Amino acid sequence: MLKQILSRLPRRSSKSENAADSASSNLGSSIQRTSTGTNTAATARSNTAKRMSSVVFPASVVTGIEPLRSFKDVPNSERQNLFISKLNLCCEVFDFDDLNKNSEEKEVKRQTLMELLDFVTSGSPAFTEPVIAASCKMCAANLFRVFPPNYRSNSSGGVETEEEEPMFDPAWSHLQIVYDLLLRSISSSSFDAKVAKKYIDHSFLLKLLELFDSEDPRERDCLKTILHRVYGKFMVHRPFIRKAVSNIFYRFVFETDKHNGIAELLEILGSVISGFTLPLKEEHKMFLTRALIPLHKPKSMGTYQQQLSFCVIQFIEKEQKLASMVLGGLLKFWPVTNSQKEVIFLGELEEVLEATNMAEFQKCMVPLFRRISSCLNSSHFQVAERALYLWNNDHIVSLMVQNRHVILPLIFPALEKNTKSHWNQAVLNLTLNVRKMFSEMDEELFEACQSKFKDEGAKLRAAEEKRRLMWEQLESLASSRPVTGNIPVLGIE
């Protein structure tokens, strides 16, 4: 096939041949376009062809166009065909586990990819259907791959943690250029979405979304930009993309509990949600309740909490009625054995309450402040401290003031218990400040709660004393009737 390509090319003068040979030697490896009249040139061309035989394959070139020629060396009428030929050439994928294997071919492919990127950046190519087809084929060949089944860390739940170094793909020198080329192509003004949707279809998008599970943060960052651009340009694919992302969340929350790209996907959704029109569609509300709120469940939530909180707040700002739904979801998935995650929940709770109006606050304030009361008495000082910081927020305090007759009786026992027995001095000082705030807010209510607390304390002490006396009686009765044979300790008379 290679000989047929070379034989079809026109001959040049010896001066042109020498210049071409000089340029090819600078690249390290190339395919010569013409034959020469000397044995030396023929030998050099033969050796170069052998080195490139693993790169060029039968369907990789357009007839009559040599893929390694420079764009500036061909007339404008042939550049489109040369562009397609170079794209087909770059469909060959190399093994980067062995850096010394096919090193010359890898470098030639990298230079070819760079040339394609420069050509697209210059705005020269017109993205006709053959060009779009070849571009999608090349991107699919290089990008779409299956990650090893054991590439995740079992100890981190399949996500990067602050203690772990991120893993970098050894093929990034090629992958980065392919990603840039795909992004520049989609962003081009001549890239027609109506034509491209035939090639950037549902199958292409699903495989693109699967790449978000890459352990390489550089790759996930490129994917984030590309998917956002695709979502903006292909309106016909928007519902499908949202559904596919929801399925990734479902699988992560309810099946695998392992995924590396949740934060990046949520970051894309943050800008998508901000563009939702009012009133919100039922589909969008279901996305909040079924996909976003359950994302509070996984133990690795801390790696994407900031992006998740932003998405949730966007929904509340668009429709206030969703605030009580979000607060109910937080209470449903509230961590009771993970103190660090509880601190994260309290931080998000403050953000949600800050965006909540009075009507929605009143719908869930009773179960909400029962949970806050439990946090105030936490033996983990960071949990108790973060809960007490809620009283530093003016909007939340204003909500409490107007509902103090409901809220203060719920949290007063926790405040009193902290003032008497909490071990941390910072928590003790904050508790005294909150207690003083309520006392100044409504002294009569405060005294009523204090009196009720004392009465309940007296009842508890009386019940405890009664229980102690009962056990003493049982012990006395048991000691007066020792066990003999099969006679039970306590007989029924």
Side-chain angles (χ1 to χ4, degrees), residues 30-57:
S30 64
I31 299 179
Q32 300 295 330
R33 189 168 188 261
T34 61
S35 60
T36 64
T38 63
N39 292 333
T40 303
T43 302
R45 183 174 66 251
S46 176
N47 293 336
T48 304
K50 289 179 180 179
R51 288 198 301 270
M52 290 305 301
S53 61
S54 62
V55 180
V56 179
F57 50 95

Side-chain angles (χ1 to χ4, degrees), residues 156 158-162 252 259-260 262-264 266 298-308 344:
S156 63
V159 294
E160 294 168 15
T161 61
E162 293 181 358
F252 167 63
H259 200 284
N260 293 297
I262 301 298
E264 287 79 9
L266 286 170
K299 59 183 179 182
S300 58
M301 176 205 165
T303 60
Y304 55 81
Q305 184 274 333
Q306 185 177 358
Q307 294 84 353
L308 176 59
I344 294 173

Side-chain angles (χ1 to χ4, degrees), residues 200 225 330 416 479 481:
I200 301 181
T225 306
L330 286 175
E416 289 297 301
S479 61
R481 299 180 63 179

Side-chain angles (χ1 to χ4, degrees), residues 457-471:
K459 290 179 181 179
L460 288 174
R461 287 191 295 272
E464 185 178 352
E465 180 66 17
K466 182 179 179 181
R467 187 165 53 251
R468 185 184 66 80
L469 293 173
M470 184 180 295
W471 278 107

